[in-house]
Amino acid sequence: MMLTTGILTKYKDFLPITPHYPLFTLGEGDTPLVKCDRVATELGCGELFLKLEGCNPTGSFKDRGMVVAVAKAMEAGSKAIICASTGNTSASAAAYAAYCGLTALIIVPGGQIAPGKLAQAIIYGSRIISIDGNFDQALNIVLALAEKHPVTLVNSLNPYRIEGQKTAAFEIVEVLGDAPDYHFIPVGNAGNITAYWQGYQECRQAGKAKKKPRMMGFQAEGAAPIVRGRTIAAPETIASAIRIGNPAGWQKAVAARDESGGLIDMVTDDEILSAQRLAATSAGVFGEPASAASLAGLIKLTRQGMDFSGKTVVCVVTGTGLKDTDIALKNAPPFLELAADITTVEKALGWS
Ligand SMILES: *Cc1c(COP(=O)(O)O)cnc(C)c1O
């Protein structure tokens, strides 16, 4: 066994590392790329891989960006970080602030955070303020505060977040030996699609990859400002991590789409839930609802007749399903509840 390296050390040649930059890690990065043959066969695509970003220390890809943003904040002598969050950014900010002895200030939309994510922000000891408003309003408040006060903004508008998150593309290229043909990804505030596209382009420039993937971004139907071409004042979806009506990374996401020859489309909540179930029942992968938007997108395009045969497809599973068990339980079929008696159980199983 080796001491955990993390992305700062592993990818220091590709990150904004300087002499006073602290190299620390909570174990982010190096997440599994799981080959899912049963789902690939069902959808008729050549090879399908799920990138399990829920395996990061706080259960989402946000950790890759946060470790870089927090290291840069430390290097600059900052004592506090601040973010608006639908849940995962705050969980990650709180954890890295705790590790580094910084204060994390977190502004969340009231009543809209999955319980697992809120529990994380609480247990890591951050200062939490819940506002009577949505994510977009929380982000506006945080932006104004970061202008006026000595705190470092760690939302994905912080360019170091994107730098860290691009490392997931490096890992995919390392494992596959090249970029995939298609890269499916949920789109919320649109930082991650920007980061992956940057990562793939850097792989190409560094000679690590011969091709670049088409970037296939998916928003939730009730929160699809980029697809509709206008901001959404009251975004609605069960996928809380992508419940965003005015993405900060809008223009960059559109650029990633156009430069890669990809698309940004939307999926319904039902499509998200059934993709979440398919990943769980046919690949043993339990992602949170927002994470399932990528696979839901692949399913939707397949049903529309798009042909992925012979193609290598990666779907990012952006966060673990354990953060948001309410939705999985609410949509589960009932299970048998019986007396603690072998005969009764055998009978119910049809084995007697
Ligand atoms: C943050 C997040 C997203 C959306 O990513 P953006 O960079 O905001 O587009 C999707 N899924 C999960 C689980 C997230 O935490």
Side-chain angles (χ1 to χ4, degrees), residues 84-167:
S85 181
T86 60
N88 284 333
T89 300
S90 59
S92 187
Y96 283 87
Y99 185 85
C100 295
L102 304 178
T103 301
L105 303 165
I106 281 153
I107 303 203
V108 297
Q112 295 185 33
I113 305 292
K117 301 176 188 180
L118 195 55
Q120 288 180 291
I122 292 168
I123 197 74
Y124 294 131
S126 60
R127 286 186 68 184
I128 304 169
I129 295 171
S130 171
I131 60 155
D132 181 16
N134 62 27
F135 170 82
D136 301 284
Q137 292 167 303
L139 183 60
N140 285 337
I141 292 173
V142 161
L143 290 177
L145 290 175
E147 282 270 302
K148 276 174 72 178
H149 302 280
V151 288
T152 304
L153 175 80
V154 295
N155 279 102
S156 58
L157 283 160
N158 179 323
Y160 301 123
R161 282 273 311 276
I162 306 300
E163 290 292 320
Q165 285 169 212
K166 77 185 178 189
T167 60

Side-chain angles (χ1 to χ4, degrees), residues 20-307:
H20 300 292
Y21 189 85
L23 295 177
F24 58 88
T25 185
L26 276 177
E28 66 294 323
D30 199 14
T31 58
L33 188 68
V34 174
K35 190 158 180 280
C36 300
D37 292 344
R38 291 183 57 211
V39 184
T41 304
E42 190 170 330
L43 299 179
C45 72
E47 284 187 314
L48 174 65
F49 297 88
L50 299 182
K51 178 69 169 161
L52 305 195
E53 288 293 282
C55 295
N56 279 298
T58 76
S60 86
F61 72 83
K62 300 297 196 300
D63 295 335
R64 294 178 185 273
M66 202 55 69
V67 70
V68 179
V70 169
K72 277 309 215 192
M74 297 275 289
E75 186 184 40
S78 181
K79 299 280 182 280
I81 59 175
I82 189 166
C83 64
S85 181
T86 60
N88 284 333
T89 300
S90 59
S92 187
Y96 283 87
Y99 185 85
C100 295
L102 304 178
T103 301
L105 303 165
I106 281 153
I107 303 203
V108 297
Q112 295 185 33
I113 305 292
K117 301 176 188 180
L118 195 55
Q120 288 180 291
I122 292 168
I123 197 74
Y124 294 131
S126 60
R127 286 186 68 184
I128 304 169
I129 295 171
S130 171
I131 60 155
D132 181 16
N134 62 27
F135 170 82
D136 301 284
Q137 292 167 303
L139 183 60
N140 285 337
I141 292 173
V142 161
L143 290 177
L145 290 175
E147 282 270 302
K148 276 174 72 178
H149 302 280
V151 288
T152 304
L153 175 80
V154 295
N155 279 102
S156 58
L157 283 160
N158 179 323
Y160 301 123
R161 282 273 311 276
I162 306 300
E163 290 292 320
Q165 285 169 212
K166 77 185 178 189
T167 60
F170 296 174
E171 292 174 10
I172 291 170
V173 168
E174 278 166 30
V175 173
L176 298 180
D178 203 342
D181 297 304
Y182 291 90
H183 181 97
F184 283 77
I185 183 167
V187 175
N189 214 23
N192 213 27
I193 188 171
T194 305
Y196 270 97
W197 180 234
Q198 186 179 325
Y200 283 123
Q201 286 179 296
E202 288 184 21
C203 285
R204 179 81 189 275
Q205 281 147 19
K208 291 190 199 172
K210 287 186 287 297
K211 54 189 178 190
K212 289 188 236 174
R214 290 181 193 272
M215 300 299 294
M216 314 294 273
F218 282 85
Q219 303 194 291
E221 193 180 64
I226 301 177
V227 180
R228 298 182 191 281
R230 58 177 167 83
T231 59
I232 308 292
E236 236 346 294
T237 166
I238 44 124
S240 56
I242 54 173
R243 190 187 289 143
I244 293 177
N246 187 15
W250 191 320
Q251 297 315 324
K252 287 182 176 155
V254 167
R257 176 194 70 191
D258 295 344
E259 288 165 24
S260 72
L263 56 78
I264 296 178
D265 194 355
M266 58 189 177
V267 281
T268 65
D269 280 3
D270 282 346
E271 288 170 324
I272 287 173
L273 289 173
S274 74
Q276 183 190 34
R277 219 172 299 123
L278 181 71
T281 56
S282 297
V285 170
F286 180 25
E288 67 166 277
S291 328
S294 45
L295 181 60
L298 175 63
I299 296 169
K300 176 178 174 177
L301 297 185
T302 304
R303 295 231 167 103
Q304 287 177 349
M306 210 166 147
D307 182 13

